[in-house]
Structures are given as structure tokens and as C-alpha cells.
Amino acid sequence: MSEEETHIRLTAWVHGRVQGVGFRWWTRSRALELGLVGSAANLADGRVEVVAEGVREHCERLLTALRSGESPGSVDRVVERWSPAKGGLQGFVER
């Protein structure tokens, strides 16, 4: 399989009390452990947007972690979108 076939992009919008509680740092740590690249960013409406690219299984594991209840703060709901990886990302950053 080529890299394009094995890599995917997960975009997840995390709802709840997830700003100002270390959620983005926690997400970054989980993503780096899984070898993913991308970002976690606060949105004006109180959500956190997580964009991660890498092997689908690792993205799925990150999504499971986001929904696990083990993160800082309180997650009410996670809305996900899957799309082809776009590339061009390096590391995993907090925005």
C-alpha cells in the first residue's frame, strides 16, 4: 500500500468543558504517542478542533481517547469527520 492509502485525516470537534483545562496539551501528548501529526485548536464557541493525520488505526485510537473520559475537563460529545490525508503537516501543535 502507498502512503496515500495508509494515511488518513481525522477532524474531530470536541464539545464540553475543554478549554482552559489542559485538554489541548493532553490531546497533543496522546497524538505524539501515536505518531500522528496535526493540531488541537480552541474555537470561539468553546469547542476544541482536533486535526490529526496518520495511519487510520492510530487516528481511531486518538478518537477513542478523546471519548474516553480520561482527558482533562469534561467531554460531552465528539463529532468526527474522516477525509483523505492532505499532508504538509509536521509535528502536533496546540493553537
Side-chain angles (χ1 to χ4, degrees):
M1 275 191 189
S2 71
E3 186 170 309
E4 291 79 27
E5 292 173 313
T6 60
H7 282 70
I8 194 157
R9 174 178 280 217
L10 164 67
T11 305
W13 294 274
V14 184
H15 300 249
R17 190 173 59 81
V18 291
Q19 290 190 11
V21 294
F23 185 86
R24 290 177 302 148
W25 177 89
W26 180 88
T27 300
R28 178 179 180 270
S29 296
R30 300 296 78 75
L32 290 173
E33 289 170 358
L34 293 166
L36 301 173
V37 296
S39 62
N42 286 338
L43 299 177
D45 63 6
R47 295 176 298 162
V48 169
E49 180 183 61
V50 177
V51 176
E53 286 191 2
V55 177
R56 182 175 186 106
E57 177 187 346
H58 294 178
C59 288
E60 289 173 349
R61 287 172 59 190
L62 177 62
L63 183 60
T64 297
L66 294 174
R67 291 179 167 146
S68 70
E70 297 174 7
S71 66
S74 175
V75 174
D76 295 334
R77 177 169 56 118
V78 179
V79 177
E80 69 192 79
R81 181 179 69 203
W82 296 94
S83 58
K86 294 181 181 177
L89 299 172
Q90 292 186 338
F92 201 95
V93 299
E94 297 173 50
R95 298 192 171 159

